[in-house]
Amino acid sequence: MASWAALSPSIVEYFEGEDFYRCGYCKNESGSLSRGMWAHSLTAQDYQDLIDRGWRRSGKYVYKPVMNQTCCPQYTIRCRPLQFQPSKSHKKVLKKMLKFLAKGDVSRGSCEDEPMDSTVEDAVAGDFALINKLDIHCDLKTLRDDLKESLESEEKKGGNPKKEESTELIQSQHIEEKLGSGEPSQSVKVQTVPKPGKGADLTKPPCRKAKEIRKERKRLKLMQQSPAGELQGLQAQGELPSLIPPKSKSNQTKSLEDFIFEPLPEDASHKLEVRLVPVSFEDPEFKSSFSQSFSLYVKYQMTIHQDPPDECGETEFTRFLCSSPLEAENPPDGPDCGYGSFHQQYWLDGKIIAVGVIDILPHCVSSVYLYYDPDYSFLSLGVYSALREIAFTKQLHEKASQLSYYYMGFYIHSCPKMKYKGQYRPSDLLCPETYVWVPIEQCLPLLENSKYCRFNQDPEAVDEGRSKDPDRLQVFYKKAIMPYGVYKKRQRDPSEEATVLQYARLVGQRCAESMLLFRS
């Protein structure tokens, strides 16, 4: 058996959480329900598996809505960047940025709330309140001491524990490094949500003006009536548009990258640079920019979300957006930057004006949060950063072929202000029962009839990743790591079995075996 040190296990602490709490979407005082766990550490693959089962992290807290009971079901949504084409409204935002950078022109129209403004939802605030209510504290020093004592004890025994447990107890020499630091955060996040219906419907053909249609009809009529010579004469006189437009006005569809990376003139008014910085205080670039990044966060929270100063302090900022359970990994088949949590910093003329918090995982880039300078709201930085992250995903795909999706968090069809994420297409929603991805076009008609839907239309289909053998679930309990089959023989609390089995059902067999469930 491979050692846990080699497998670098994730360590989580599960909270059952049976109470309903206030919904951040419909404002129902007791309508929202979710399950949660505190992740002391997570491997990139484990978190990828978790979000593919409807989980999502906020700081080190990982939560999963109880879809068939919560008032506003939250469906995991992913965009497919390899097939993505910017809509008319997307192009407008990209052109506005290019014009601003090139000429300094500012179009200060009415600043509306933008898609992808901040993608951590309100509802998770109730989960933090739940943690606070349960008063759960994990003494990490005690855990490390217990592990050390356990390892030393096994060494003295010469590696010959009791026969009945010799094949079941699993040791790790480096688990103490995975326990992280700090306790469950009590940070509360608030989201500004966009106005619905602002994006183009990509399923419909582009609209054409009546004047253009009349010109087209006239041109076709003249072609049928006029000999070739007369046709050329009409073109020369400017009375008939040319059938072959000049190269500079080619109708060839421009890609997302064409818009983003269009060359600027040498005398451009502004310079925009996007830097990818690992979320680690050991990283020099992250450390040197921390103060400026934090100040921007405070300005954003107080201006956009009207947070009081005591709710957006350095501690809250660190726990919420700088503390991540993901460990940095650099596998040979991964992207050059590796896997883990990052800040994408948008530097305008040497100053940070926006920060996109993202996770880079084996199969996707997952958007966590965005905060920006309200003085630059006219640039639609929410939309712009989402498009940059989609383009970034395509860039990572060139090195890591399996990394080909952009996760946007949750899609909430029953909340009009949260439907904007469906405008980034093609995209898929996760079936809450079988955990397969279904194109959003197939899901929307179902959601019009019911808030909660099973998207997989095969009645025989089941959750293939479900927990099939709970006894193989790994538990860290009283200085030892053991399969659940051993743990339940030692546990006398009758409610413990139901809690552990609920955890196994929600995380699935793969994560149940690869992650360590801490039980006190």
Side-chain angles (χ1 to χ4, degrees):
M1 178 183 291
S3 70
W4 277 105
L7 295 176
S8 184
S10 303
I11 303 176
V12 299
E13 188 174 355
Y14 178 67
F15 311 138
E16 192 170 5
E18 291 292 349
D19 296 338
F20 284 85
Y21 52 87
R22 185 175 187 273
C23 177
Y25 306 108
C26 69
K27 311 306 178 184
N28 185 327
E29 290 298 328
S30 58
S32 193
L33 183 65
S34 69
R35 306 286 183 245
M37 55 190 178
W38 188 256
H40 298 286
S41 71
L42 277 179
T43 64
Q45 185 59 58
D46 282 340
Y47 186 48
Q48 177 73 67
D49 292 338
L50 286 173
I51 62 175
D52 284 335
R53 291 186 66 82
W55 292 81
R56 182 160 170 78
R57 82 170 183 90
S58 179
K60 287 192 172 185
Y61 183 64
V62 188
Y63 62 102
K64 175 178 169 59
V66 181
M67 297 291 281
N68 60 350
Q69 296 183 51
T70 192
C71 54
C72 296
Q74 302 158 55
Y75 299 92
T76 302
I77 182 171
R78 72 178 186 185
C79 173
R80 286 177 259 149
L82 303 187
Q83 294 83 39
F84 176 82
Q85 285 293 335
S87 67
K88 186 176 180 180
S89 61
H90 294 154
K91 293 175 183 178
K92 186 177 180 181
V93 170
L94 295 170
K95 290 176 180 177
K96 179 168 58 176
M97 175 63 82
L98 286 170
K99 188 176 181 181
F100 171 73
L101 295 176
K103 302 179 180 179
D105 289 352
V106 176
S107 302
R108 295 181 182 273
S110 59
C111 289
E112 60 192 45
D113 294 332
E114 306 167 3
M116 308 307 290
D117 176 45
S118 50
T119 56
V120 172
E121 284 75 10
D122 280 344
V124 75
D127 293 293
F128 282 102
L130 173 63
I131 294 176
N132 190 34
K133 179 181 176 182
L134 295 175
D135 193 27
I136 294 173
H137 299 282
C138 181
D139 189 337
L140 298 177
K141 184 178 185 302
T142 301
L143 281 179
R144 288 192 289 266
D145 291 344
D146 288 349
L147 283 167
K148 185 176 180 181
E149 183 180 333
S150 175
L151 294 173
E152 289 176 350
S153 175
E154 292 302 328
E155 287 177 3
K156 289 178 181 179
K157 292 179 183 179
N160 295 311
K162 292 180 181 179
K163 184 177 179 181
E164 63 177 342
E165 297 179 6
S166 62
T167 60
E168 295 177 312
L169 297 180
I170 305 172
Q171 300 179 9
S172 172
Q173 298 177 352
H174 300 291
I175 292 179
E176 59 184 274
E177 298 174 5
K178 315 300 179 189
L179 293 176
S181 60
E183 298 176 12
S185 167
Q186 299 175 16
S187 304
V188 175
K189 292 151 295 302
V190 183
Q191 176 173 358
T192 296
V193 288
K195 296 177 181 177
K198 296 295 181 182
D201 187 347
L202 300 185
T203 62
K204 297 180 180 179
C207 296
R208 297 178 62 194
K209 294 181 180 180
K211 185 177 180 181
E212 293 178 354
I213 296 175
R214 288 197 298 271
K215 283 185 176 180
E216 179 72 11
R217 287 175 179 168
K218 181 179 179 181
R219 181 177 66 84
L220 293 173
K221 187 176 180 181
L222 288 171
M223 284 178 60
Q224 294 172 353
Q225 296 176 352
S226 304
E230 294 180 19
L231 185 62
Q232 291 176 4
L234 288 170
Q235 289 180 359
Q237 297 172 27
E239 297 178 14
L240 181 66
S242 173
L243 297 179
I244 305 176
K247 273 190 175 182
S248 59
K249 297 182 180 180
S250 173
N251 290 327
Q252 184 176 356
T253 303
K254 292 178 69 173
S255 69
L256 177 61
E257 290 81 359
D258 290 336
F259 284 102
I260 292 177
F261 302 112
E262 184 173 315
L264 294 172
E266 293 184 4
D267 60 345
S269 299
H270 300 286
K271 178 184 178 183
L272 179 68
E273 181 185 1
V274 181
R275 302 178 188 174
L276 184 70
V277 182
V279 179
S280 170
F281 285 98
E282 296 179 0
D283 183 83
E285 196 168 1
F286 178 82
K287 193 173 181 179
S288 64
S289 62
F290 179 83
S291 177
Q292 187 180 165
S293 183
F294 167 60
S295 297
L296 177 63
Y297 167 78
V298 174
K299 183 178 182 180
Y300 171 79
Q301 293 295 126
M302 293 180 65
T303 305
I304 302 297
H305 298 312
Q306 289 80 50
D307 283 0
D310 60 344
E311 289 185 9
C312 47
E314 186 171 320
T315 300
E316 287 75 20
F317 172 66
T318 302
R319 284 179 172 176
F320 176 26
L321 297 176
C322 303
S323 180
S324 170
L326 293 176
E327 300 180 5
E329 301 176 28
N330 289 278
D333 60 342
D336 293 336
C337 60
Y339 301 140
S341 297
F342 297 84
H343 282 186
Q344 268 199 328
Q345 301 174 342
Y346 293 75
W347 291 77
L348 181 69
D349 303 330
K351 167 188 166 186
I352 301 178
I353 63 165
V355 177
V357 184
I358 60 173
D359 293 330
I360 299 178
L361 304 172
H363 298 153
C364 74
V365 169
S366 175
S367 176
V368 178
Y369 201 72
L370 172 78
Y371 55 98
Y372 58 84
D373 190 334
D375 294 343
Y376 293 89
S377 293
F378 63 90
L379 290 175
S380 304
L381 292 172
V383 178
Y384 182 76
S385 65
L387 296 172
R388 289 291 301 240
E389 288 170 7
I390 290 174
F392 179 58
T393 304
K394 294 174 70 176
Q395 180 184 339
L396 296 179
H397 172 77
E398 294 178 3
K399 174 64 167 59
S401 59
Q402 74 281 5
L403 201 164
S404 54
Y405 297 101
Y406 175 59
Y407 285 48
M408 296 176 282
F410 289 135
Y411 173 84
I412 307 173
H413 191 78
S414 58
C415 180
K417 294 181 179 180
M418 288 299 293
K419 294 168 70 173
Y420 67 87
K421 295 180 184 180
Q423 297 171 4
Y424 293 80
R425 297 190 184 181
S427 57
D428 310 299
L429 296 184
L430 186 67
C431 176
E433 295 182 8
T434 61
Y435 301 108
V436 297
W437 294 98
V438 180
I440 192 170
E441 292 83 0
Q442 298 178 27
C443 303
L444 296 182
L446 301 173
L447 291 171
E448 287 294 329
N449 295 324
S450 175
K451 288 183 179 180
Y452 173 75
C453 294
R454 171 192 168 109
F455 298 138
N456 191 331
Q457 296 302 291
D458 180 0
E460 303 297 323
V462 296
D463 171 15
E464 296 295 340
R466 67 189 181 281
S467 176
K468 304 180 183 72
D469 187 0
D471 284 351
R472 294 173 61 184
L473 178 151
Q474 298 300 322
V475 180
F476 178 52
Y477 175 68
K478 286 189 175 181
K479 306 179 183 180
I481 304 167
M482 63 194 72
Y484 177 65
V486 173
Y487 171 73
K488 67 181 178 182
K489 293 177 183 177
R490 301 182 176 187
Q491 183 56 242
R492 296 180 181 179
D493 183 353
S495 66
E496 180 68 1
E497 181 174 10
T499 299
V500 174
L501 292 181
Q502 182 185 83
Y503 159 83
R505 177 177 59 82
L506 294 175
V507 302
Q509 187 68 31
R510 184 185 298 179
C511 283
E513 290 187 38
S514 63
M515 302 192 305
L516 297 182
L517 174 63
F518 172 77
R519 305 306 287 173
S520 57

